Amino acid sequence: MESTTTLNGVDHEIESSNNTSIINHNDELSNENIHSCDSHENQSTIKLDNDAELILKLNNLLLDDQTDSEIYFHSYQSENEMSSIMSLISGTLSEPYSIYTYRYFIHNWPDLCFLCSNRKTNELIGAIVSKLDLHKKVLRRGYIAMLAINEEYRRKKIASKLVLMSIREMIKRGCDEIVLEAEVTNDAALNLYENLGFLREKRLYRYYLNGVDAYRLKLWLK
């Protein structure tokens, strides 16, 4: 587990992404010694373009955000947005988080918190909270802790765009890999991340407070 608090992935109703994978998988086996999930016994490595080309690809995928008449995407700005973020996430995800959990992530990595709001009302309708730090003093590992979308705005690819924004910023900061957890029963979340290139690394038994297992998903960037 990435922090002292059990963190959720994304809610069951978040839309899946269609063919927006930012990476290509090859058939070589990974050198990393891991306990693979049943459907990924032979873990693949990922072949990437250089960081500049990958960032350009992400920019192209996100271009249409600028012309949407109903919503707009933006980064976290101040503590004034904290209550809206907490309200959205607590009303969407299945596990409760204290204000200290939110502050741990957002205060330490404010540039890895991205939001989506209604252009007319400024209502917060989507949020992603992530972090980036050293893993085992070797790898720069990104971690997607929370992703939530207002139910009325789902199936508009807001979730996939927020994830892409987070990935793009992590790449700019020299990230080597990105991980997260999602409930094994959450098909929408699994489809979303796997369509973006994440692979199931391992199964975590009874990971959540409700007793449900989780898959740990990973995106290799190096």
Side-chain angles (χ1 to χ4, degrees):
M1 186 168 59
E2 289 297 315
S3 73
T4 56
T5 305
T6 301
L7 296 173
N8 205 351
V10 290
D11 187 69
H12 289 269
E13 299 300 324
I14 289 179
E15 81 283 353
S16 61
S17 173
N18 293 321
N19 300 321
T20 57
S21 178
I22 60 171
I23 52 82
N24 295 312
H25 300 277
N26 61 32
D27 295 328
E28 297 177 4
L29 296 181
S30 171
N31 292 325
E32 187 173 7
N33 183 18
I34 60 173
H35 174 65
S36 300
C37 300
D38 294 341
S39 60
H40 291 275
E41 290 183 359
N42 293 328
Q43 190 74 31
S44 298
T45 57
I46 293 176
K47 183 178 181 181
L48 290 173
D49 300 327
N50 63 51
D51 286 355
E53 291 175 339
L54 187 54
I55 290 171
L56 179 61
K57 185 174 183 179
L58 288 167
N59 288 341
N60 290 335
L61 289 171
L62 291 164
L63 272 179
D64 60 343
D65 300 344
Q66 308 303 320
T67 58
D68 194 300
S69 61
E70 185 180 10
I71 61 175
Y72 69 99
F73 293 84
H74 55 104
S75 58
Y76 172 82
Q77 297 297 321
S78 72
E79 181 75 13
N80 294 332
E81 296 169 309
M82 186 69 73
S83 61
S84 296
I85 295 171
M86 292 177 60
S87 178
L88 174 66
I89 292 175
S90 64
T92 304
L93 300 186
S94 59
E95 294 201 342
Y97 308 120
S98 72
I99 189 171
Y100 302 106
T101 302
Y102 290 97
R103 285 178 172 165
Y104 166 74
F105 284 100
I106 297 175
H107 286 184
N108 284 297
W109 297 275
D111 294 338
L112 291 177
C113 177
F114 295 98
L115 310 173
C116 180
S117 299
N118 182 291
R119 194 177 295 276
K120 293 181 179 179
T121 66
N122 285 324
E123 175 193 7
L124 182 66
I125 58 179
I128 188 168
V129 177
S130 307
K131 73 170 184 172
L132 175 62
D133 56 9
L134 282 178
H135 177 63
K136 297 182 179 179
K137 300 181 180 180
V138 177
L139 295 174
R140 291 185 61 79
R141 171 180 280 188
Y143 180 65
I144 297 176
M146 308 174 200
L147 174 60
I149 309 297
N150 183 308
E151 186 174 1
E152 296 180 8
Y153 291 86
R154 291 173 186 168
R155 295 178 176 82
K156 294 180 179 290
K157 296 187 177 181
I158 295 173
S160 60
K161 290 173 183 176
L162 287 171
V163 174
L164 289 172
M165 292 174 73
S166 183
I167 292 173
R168 178 176 61 182
E169 186 61 31
M170 290 183 192
I171 292 171
K172 290 179 180 178
R173 294 166 179 259
C175 183
D176 297 303
E177 62 184 26
I178 303 172
V179 299
L180 60 98
E181 292 87 27
E183 292 183 358
V184 297
T185 56
N186 193 341
D187 292 334
L190 295 172
N191 288 336
L192 166 67
Y193 288 115
E194 288 173 347
N195 284 336
L196 292 174
F198 286 81
L199 296 176
R200 301 180 191 185
E201 183 189 32
K202 64 175 67 174
R203 184 167 183 147
L204 306 171
Y205 294 95
R206 300 184 64 83
Y207 181 79
Y208 294 105
L209 295 177
N210 59 9
V212 174
D213 296 351
Y215 284 129
R216 174 162 293 155
L217 305 179
K218 181 180 286 189
L219 176 67
W220 283 266
L221 297 171
K222 302 292 185 180

